[in-house]
Every structure is written in C-alpha cells, then in structure tokens.
Amino acid sequence: MSKTIAFSFDDGRRDTYTNAFKILNDRSIPFTINVATDFVLNESKYSEFLSADNRSMTPDQLLECYKSGVEIACHG
C-alpha cells in the first residue's frame, strides 16, 4: 500500500519562503501555501503570525512560488 503526505503551510509567512520553498522546490516536492492575504498586505498589524522575523511573504515571493508550481490557496 502506498502512502501520501501533503505539505501545507499557513498564513504566507516569510519563513515558508526562506526555508520550505527552497528545500521542497529543489526536490520537486509539491506543496500548498495557504495565504492570509491581509497579512501579506498589512504584516505590521498581525503579531499573532509569529515567524523568525514576524514578516509575511511579499507578493513577488508568492508569485515566484506560484510560477514554480506551488499551489497558492486562500486561508480565510
């Protein structure tokens, strides 16, 4: 019996881009980023989305992920 693992990352945090994207993309492993769009557009008001630097991905970083085949979903 084969097993499947789904990789999914919430909120659109910057550490998803700097860590997970680089590792998984280099290995052609598919994954999903569930983006809280208001966080991406207004990161300074969301201290509850703590990451290493408490930052969101930029729209350009999200676009790079999308163009590399990463599924971008709404986390609403």
Side-chain angles (χ1 to χ4, degrees):
M1 174 191 331
S2 67
K3 297 182 181 184
T4 302
I5 296 174
F7 290 97
S8 176
F9 299 89
D10 283 348
D11 305 326
R13 297 176 358 181
R14 179 85 46 96
D15 56 359
T16 299
Y17 177 78
T18 58
N19 298 315
F21 174 65
K22 305 291 185 191
I23 293 167
L24 297 174
N25 192 53
D26 286 349
R27 290 164 177 79
S28 300
I29 299 172
F31 66 98
T32 302
I33 300 173
N34 302 294
V35 179
T37 54
D38 197 45
F39 176 46
V40 171
L41 298 175
N42 302 289
E43 66 185 20
S44 63
K45 72 179 192 179
Y46 289 98
S47 61
E48 69 269 22
F49 294 131
L50 292 176
S51 63
D53 59 2
N54 196 28
R55 304 286 308 255
S56 67
M57 294 173 68
T58 66
D60 286 340
Q61 290 168 334
L62 283 167
L63 186 58
E64 179 184 351
C65 290
Y66 174 76
K67 287 181 177 180
S68 294
V70 175
E71 180 179 32
I72 308 296
C74 180
H75 181 24

